[in-house]
Amino acid sequence: MRTFVSGLVFMLPAVGVLALAPGPALAGTPQPGREGSLPGSFSWSSSGPLISPKPDAGHPILSVKDPTVFRYRDRWHVYFTTADTAGRWSLGYTSFARWSEAASAPQTFLDTNPDIGSRYAAAPQVFYFAPQQTWYMVYQTGPPSYSTTKDPSDPLSWSAPRNFFGGEPPIVTENKGDGAWLDFWTICDRTDCYMYFSDGNGHQYRSRTTLAEFPNGFRDTAIVLNEPNRFDLFEAGNVYRLGDGDGYLMLVEALATGSDWRRYFRAWTADSLGGAWKPLADTEANPFARSSNVAFEAGQPAWTRDFSHGEMIRAGVDQTLTIDPCRLRFLYQGMDPAAGGEYYRLPWRLALLTQTNSTC
């Protein structure tokens, strides 16, 4: 699923009528004028672990990771990757009304969905594609795949995966080295849909299709960011629309090779999804989110120094992936700083960051 240190590649709703279709308003739209202005540096407060593995006899899982999260019908819904003691990767799901209930909420394993099964599956992203009144889950089965449903609160309702591409784009093959394309992320504007992804070799890519063609027709794959140090653009790229303006935010996970090798996030902005990305908080000294700019809530120990693959809390559920720039929150994966061992055995847990220095 991941490309890691030393260059090794590890295996890794029915919505009745349009008036009832979910949209941003169901999760709280940004208010008019809430384009906001992001600061040039960030500070955060972190919760303790909110979602931890709940193994059972058939699922000896050690980690929950790579979350996607959305608010729908007055509940939080979280899909995530699971990793077990045998090195198998799959998907899980949980739901709860309040974050205080997250730790006790039951979990469902998607390998019990016969259309998903026991195949390798990881790194989900879920959103409502309004033009089709259909929910999509984008994830990796090796190549980028998607499943659909009319009810994202039923994890057993997702369809069998289909691939977005007929094969790996030549530009990826030519540049990935011993990496692999991974962590696929879809976002749309008024006319087009874009897929962003990484290759574990210091490149961030973008492919495009039209809103009318989606989920088919992805083309024009290009490198939009690149670094000579592969760990400076490691994985877990996310892109969001900033409020009701035209600006966009991109996050990409990196490893702090200049200091402690811990995971952290870098950030860029762009005026459009097809435009150029400009640095915002993109260094170890000035990160988007890292142990150096995260404090822990009162009574919480500094339980992690890694701030890894996650998702911003969105202002809605649709394909625009709109966030409120005046109230940034980020569900991320962290782990005990003393943890070590094989990659799939790392004990990831999910926790919530809340920005503490909004400029709004």
Side-chain angles (χ1 to χ4, degrees), residues 17-212:
V17 293
L18 185 60
L20 297 179
L26 292 186
T29 41
Q31 298 301 310
R34 295 270 281 192
E35 296 93 340
S37 58
L38 294 176
S41 61
F42 294 83
S43 62
W44 305 89
S45 174
S46 176
S47 72
L50 298 174
I51 302 174
S52 300
K54 292 182 181 292
D56 62 25
H59 302 87
I61 65 170
L62 298 165
S63 291
V64 292
K65 56 201 307 292
D66 313 332
T68 185
V69 56
F70 54 96
R71 185 76 176 176
Y72 174 61
R73 293 181 176 171
D74 297 322
R75 295 183 66 84
W76 293 107
H77 302 266
V78 182
Y79 284 85
F80 48 82
T81 303
T82 63
D84 71 15
T85 55
R88 293 172 299 219
W89 304 87
S90 189
L91 301 173
Y93 164 80
T94 190
S95 177
F96 42 87
R98 293 175 290 277
W99 286 105
S100 60
E101 300 170 353
S104 59
Q107 295 177 8
T108 301
F109 301 107
L110 268 67
D111 62 359
T112 60
N113 175 339
D115 288 323
I116 303 294
S118 59
R119 63 168 45 88
Y120 165 76
Q125 178 206 9
V126 174
F127 60 90
Y128 179 71
F129 190 64
Q132 297 173 3
Q133 299 184 42
T134 299
W135 291 82
Y136 276 77
M137 178 166 60
V138 177
Y139 56 109
Q140 57 197 53
T141 60
S145 301
Y146 66 91
S147 294
T148 60
T149 185
K150 295 296 185 180
D151 182 7
S153 66
D154 179 3
L156 302 185
S157 67
W158 291 100
S159 66
R162 296 181 179 179
N163 292 341
F164 283 103
F165 293 81
E168 185 176 87
I171 191 172
V172 179
T173 306
E174 294 162 4
N175 288 280
K176 69 179 182 179
D178 60 0
W181 57 339
L182 66 138
D183 291 346
F184 306 100
W185 187 263
T186 302
I187 180 172
C188 307
D189 59 22
R190 295 177 182 87
T191 60
D192 295 294
C193 292
Y194 295 82
M195 180 177 291
Y196 286 82
F197 56 91
S198 305
D199 67 3
N201 196 36
H203 305 98
Q204 192 72 6
Y205 297 84
R206 177 179 62 207
S207 292
R208 180 189 65 85
T209 189
T210 66
L211 197 71

Side-chain angles (χ1 to χ4, degrees), residues 327-345:
R327 190 172 182 240
L328 297 183
R329 292 182 295 164
F330 186 57
L331 184 66
Y332 72 96
Q333 65 179 38
M335 67 174 171
D336 184 334
E342 296 170 279
Y343 185 72
Y344 70 86
R345 293 183 180 275

